[in-house]
Amino acid sequence: MRKMIVAIDGPAAAGKSTIAKKVASILGYTYVDTGAMYRAFTYYVLKNGIDPKDEKSSIAVIDDVNIKLEPDGRVLCNDEDVTQVIRSNEVSKNVSFIASYKDIRLALVKSQRKMAESVSVVMDGRDIGTYVLPNANVKIYQVASVKARAQRRYLENIEKGIPCTIDQLEKDIETRDYIDSHRDFAPLKQADDAILLDTSDMTIDEVVEKVLEIIKEKAGK
């Protein structure tokens, strides 16, 4: 089969990473979690006492941050395994600020595009189909209601031992949606040629099956 580039975009907590990871594993493609890269950068900023809302100070440490996505799913920031800590509430509440800064996006997008140069990939994020990989073979815009997304994130956090409430998660998700869709550079939006997939009432297996069906159809063209 020819090299395939699959872009899955959508708002916070829509389950993009879960679906992208499973689909990539089934197809033998490389999975690229761009959200984890922005989370890792946010973690570094917070760890070093920088206010994520301070664009100038956040941008100033770009050259100090080295983020790697390992084949086994681990996320490394300057060789520190940050896979779990980047899912904390503190990182979640601040990552949209970091992701809105053009210079930081440009630096990380460069790495993301390089990952897709020679192998088939499934990449998920906010602007993969619109900006990072506009020529992707398959573009999916995955959405779900705020209520459904908050419930999913709540269950994930409880399983990981991260304290939270559904009410707070709903507020955080709505805030992230607004920031992501209103940023000046590469905002969250559905690409004109992306397939809209509402997963509010779908199970993980049903979503995976649907995405595989879409990819198979596109690959045959």
Side-chain angles (χ1 to χ4, degrees):
M1 184 181 292
R2 62 193 173 99
K3 184 168 80 74
M4 293 288 290
I5 304 298
V6 180
I8 301 180
D9 290 306
K16 301 182 302 296
S17 297
T18 298
I19 301 305
K21 188 181 301 182
K22 286 181 175 293
V23 168
S25 177
I26 292 171
L27 295 175
Y29 293 0
T30 296
Y31 167 57
V32 182
D33 182 357
T34 64
M37 298 174 75
Y38 290 103
R39 283 176 172 273
F41 200 108
T42 303
Y43 166 75
Y44 182 87
V45 166
L46 290 168
K47 180 182 178 181
N48 286 274
I50 300 170
D51 182 356
K53 296 179 183 178
D54 184 338
E55 180 174 1
K56 185 176 180 180
S57 296
S58 297
I59 289 174
V61 299
I62 286 178
D63 293 337
D64 301 330
V65 185
N66 181 29
I67 300 168
K68 293 181 180 178
L69 302 180
E70 295 294 290
D72 60 6
R74 289 180 303 133
V75 182
L76 305 181
C77 181
N78 294 349
D79 295 326
E80 175 187 355
D81 188 338
V82 298
T83 311
Q84 295 301 323
V85 71
I86 62 173
R87 302 298 171 180
S88 69
N89 289 334
E90 190 66 14
V91 170
S92 294
K93 288 190 295 185
N94 288 287
V95 65
S96 284
F97 298 112
I98 294 299
S100 70
Y101 303 146
K102 183 176 180 178
D103 287 352
I104 292 176
R105 294 199 73 84
L106 288 174
L108 295 185
V109 165
K110 184 177 180 180
S111 298
Q112 293 158 12
R113 286 175 173 166
K114 188 173 183 179
M115 293 178 194
E117 283 181 353
S118 57
V119 297
S120 292
V121 302
V122 179
M123 189 178 296
D124 72 279
R126 303 288 191 281
D127 61 346
I128 310 306
T130 55
Y131 179 70
V132 181
L133 301 172
N135 296 318
N137 306 95
V138 180
K139 297 181 184 180
I140 295 171
Y141 193 73
Q142 184 174 320
V143 300
S145 67
V146 171
K147 183 177 182 180
R149 287 185 279 153
Q151 178 66 26
R152 292 170 184 172
R153 182 56 55 85
Y154 175 79
L155 294 175
E156 288 176 2
N157 286 353
I158 293 302
E159 185 178 343
K160 296 175 182 177
I162 301 174
C164 62
T165 66
I166 290 182
D167 286 345
Q168 186 58 52
L169 286 172
E170 287 186 359
K171 292 177 182 177
D172 290 346
I173 286 171
E174 289 175 339
T175 298
R176 284 199 62 188
D177 285 352
Y178 182 84
I179 294 173
D180 290 342
S181 60
H182 286 78
R183 66 190 182 213
D184 293 330
F185 182 67
L188 165 68
K189 65 178 181 178
Q190 181 178 345
D192 292 337
D193 54 347
I195 296 172
L196 179 64
L197 182 58
D198 189 333
T199 68
S200 299
D201 300 315
M202 298 174 71
T203 65
I204 291 175
D205 288 342
E206 287 173 339
V207 180
V208 169
E209 183 178 351
K210 182 61 177 178
V211 171
L212 289 172
E213 180 184 309
I214 293 170
I215 294 173
K216 182 179 180 180
E217 179 183 349
K218 292 290 185 179
K221 292 183 177 180

